[in-house]
Amino acid sequence: MKTVQEIRAIHDLPFPELLFRAAAVHREHWNAEEIQFCTLDSIKTGACPEDCSYCPQSARYSTGLKVEPLKDVAKVLEGAAEARANGSTRYCMGAAWREVKDDANFDAVLDMVRGVKGLGMEVCVTLGMLDAAQAERLKEAGCDVYNHNLDTSRDFYETIISTRKFDDRLRTIAAVQGAGLAVCSGGIVGMGESVDQRLHFLHELTQLGAPPESIPINHLVPVAGTPLADLPPVPPLEFIRMIATARILFPASRIRLSAGRTAMSDEMQALAFFAGANSLFTGDKLLTTPNPGDSHDHKLVEALGMRVEGSAAAV
Ligand code: SAM
Ligand code: DTB
Ligand code: SF4
């Protein structure tokens, strides 16, 4: 296990050396010509009681978002089938909940999980906090992965979110691991954190017991009305350093180039792939904010001479 100082030494390597090492590790564990396409579906949107400063879905901020109740199961399965036809092999359903409750809504989510699994896709859900019994019900329904981000370092966390604690996140992740679900856990870069805090965040991820199956690295999407609306973007080369450092620390995990891609050039995204990112969220929307869209991403993959991983679609 590496110390924060050792992680810093990797992160601060001369850029070409950092990228060379990350690319080498990537090739040892993955087919570096392939990119996994995942699609997000916001199954319940907005009116969230939490106060996450970055999030357009918090009820505390006026972001003009249209609040929507839990979607119909059939509608979600339609979306999943369409995503599969566009090359996605993984479907991630997100709900703007603080936590899972044992009610009819959770029963409906379990039906969605069974349905998406039935389409032959990898199934991921992100529903906020949950306990061991709820994690087990998800596992039994065929869920593969639970997304629950640490988001940032322990010390910066409380300046971003006041309605829950960093330890609550760790407890949910432990429940997920205990049920035998794979963990997807990553964070956001560009919330005003220092480089040191980014490295503490990566260090926390190394302490999860088992490395996460996947690590989404989001760039903050600044949304008007949220407290973080006016933050400047992180310099691209700094962002790429995070991707490369994550790849070196987690050789066998998927590193997902997640939110924030509409503000990234194709060249920057290509550099992220070279630095070890091997998964994307596709489709023209993330949960509530814009995303480059399928045609852009297919073109990008093609222009780079790469392939969509395990795609059922003719791409
Ligand atoms: N409510 C659940 C939770 O918080 O765990 C699940 C959905 S929540 C929207 C999932 C993740 O989206 C957050 O942990 C955060 O990392 C990411 N996210 C939300 N808003 C974002 C933004 N404006 N920019 C980048 N990432 C964002
Ligand atoms: C993750 O790390 N990023 C995704 C997914 N996990 C659930 C969500 C990004 C959301 C970006 C803001 C929005 O579209 O609302
Ligand atoms: Fe709610 Fe999740 Fe957004 Fe936080 S990140 S406000 S918990 S939807």
Side-chain angles (χ1 to χ4, degrees), residues 66 139-140 143 313:
K66 187 164 171 260
K139 173 79 184 166
E140 274 162 28
C143 187

Side-chain angles (χ1 to χ4, degrees), residues 246-264:
R247 168 50 69 216
I248 293 169
L249 292 179
F250 300 98
S253 303
R254 284 191 183 282
I255 306 293
R256 185 166 304 112
L257 180 59
S258 304
R261 288 196 301 121
T262 52
M264 294 178 195

Side-chain angles (χ1 to χ4, degrees), residues 1 38 44 65 68 83-84 133-134 159 162 197-198 201 212 215 217-218 238 250 260 264 270:
M1 215 67 84
C38 309
K44 185 265 165 179
L65 186 71
E68 287 176 52
R84 188 180 64 162
Q134 292 164 336
T159 67
S162 78
Q197 284 166 326
R198 282 177 209 154
F201 149 70
I215 302 177
I217 304 289
N218 297 278
E238 266 190 40
F250 300 98
M264 294 178 195

Side-chain angles (χ1 to χ4, degrees), residues 276-296:
N278 60 350
S279 181
L280 294 178
F281 285 125
T282 57
D284 49 19
K285 213 158 67 145
L286 290 161
L287 289 173
T288 67
T289 62
N291 197 44
D294 289 317
S295 69
H296 172 273

Side-chain angles (χ1 to χ4, degrees), residues 44 46-61 94-99 126-129 148 151 157 161 163-164 169 188 287:
K44 185 265 165 179
C48 182
E50 301 283 76
D51 69 353
C52 311
S53 307
Y54 48 77
C55 189
Q57 303 203 66
S58 167
R60 321 258 174 141
Y61 317 128
W97 288 338
R98 169 180 163 77
E99 67 214 324
T126 181
L127 312 170
M129 294 186 261
H148 205 64
D151 274 336
Y157 198 83
I161 300 157
T163 48
R164 56 167 188 262
R169 295 307 263 185
I188 309 180
L287 289 173

